[in-house]
Amino acid sequence: QVQLVESGGGLVQTGGSLTLSCAASGNIFGIAAMAWYRQAPGKQREFVARFISGENTNYADSVKGRFTVSRDNAKNTVYLQMNSLKPEDTSVYYCNADIKRYGASLYLKYWGKGTQVTVSS
């Protein structure tokens, strides 16, 4: 079994900061990309940021310059540092990772259950 568990969400005022964490655990042989997505009420889930390796990161235009994604390979954990938060950042934030289990031949996508981020105006 593989699990992704997010933490760090909460309520913050406009302009504030939060750091989300997502830890992968279980029968893991390797992890390729780890990413963050978010979904606001009544909207589709959207991409936020992805960490592939070292300098290879991607961001949605709406968060560039405000959010930073990083990763601790030793802990199988990806982080999302969110600064200058806006009310429109309010969403459930989900972690996503491409993981290969021991004995498997392919990397599969796994999702966490999400953590709520609410930005008050």
Side-chain angles (χ1 to χ4, degrees):
Q1 289 281 24
V2 171
Q3 274 193 317
L4 296 178
V5 179
E6 302 97 335
S7 61
L11 174 64
V12 64
Q13 291 186 333
T14 297
S17 298
L18 279 175
T19 300
L20 306 183
S21 301
C22 170
S25 63
N27 185 27
I28 298 172
F29 174 79
I31 303 177
M34 298 186 81
W36 290 95
Y37 287 73
R38 66 187 182 185
Q39 188 168 16
K43 295 188 177 181
Q44 288 190 331
R45 191 171 296 188
E46 64 176 6
F47 168 76
V48 176
R50 178 181 294 112
F51 187 102
I52 300 174
S53 64
E55 302 298 320
N56 194 350
T57 57
N58 307 116
Y59 296 92
D61 287 344
S62 59
V63 307
K64 278 181 182 176
R66 301 188 299 123
F67 291 10
T68 302
V69 63
S70 61
R71 180 169 160 179
D72 185 334
N73 289 327
K75 297 181 179 179
N76 287 340
T77 298
V78 65
Y79 304 94
L80 186 68
Q81 172 68 44
M82 305 185 294
N83 298 325
S84 302
L85 283 162
K86 306 174 182 180
E88 51 264 43
D89 294 317
T90 296
S91 286
V92 177
Y93 283 71
Y94 296 91
C95 176
N96 167 281
D98 297 329
I99 296 174
K100 186 176 181 180
R101 298 170 60 183
Y102 281 100
S105 58
L106 299 174
Y107 282 83
L108 298 178
K109 286 192 181 294
Y110 291 85
W111 289 91
K113 293 183 178 181
T115 185
Q116 176 71 46
V117 172
T118 303
V119 184
S120 63
S121 56

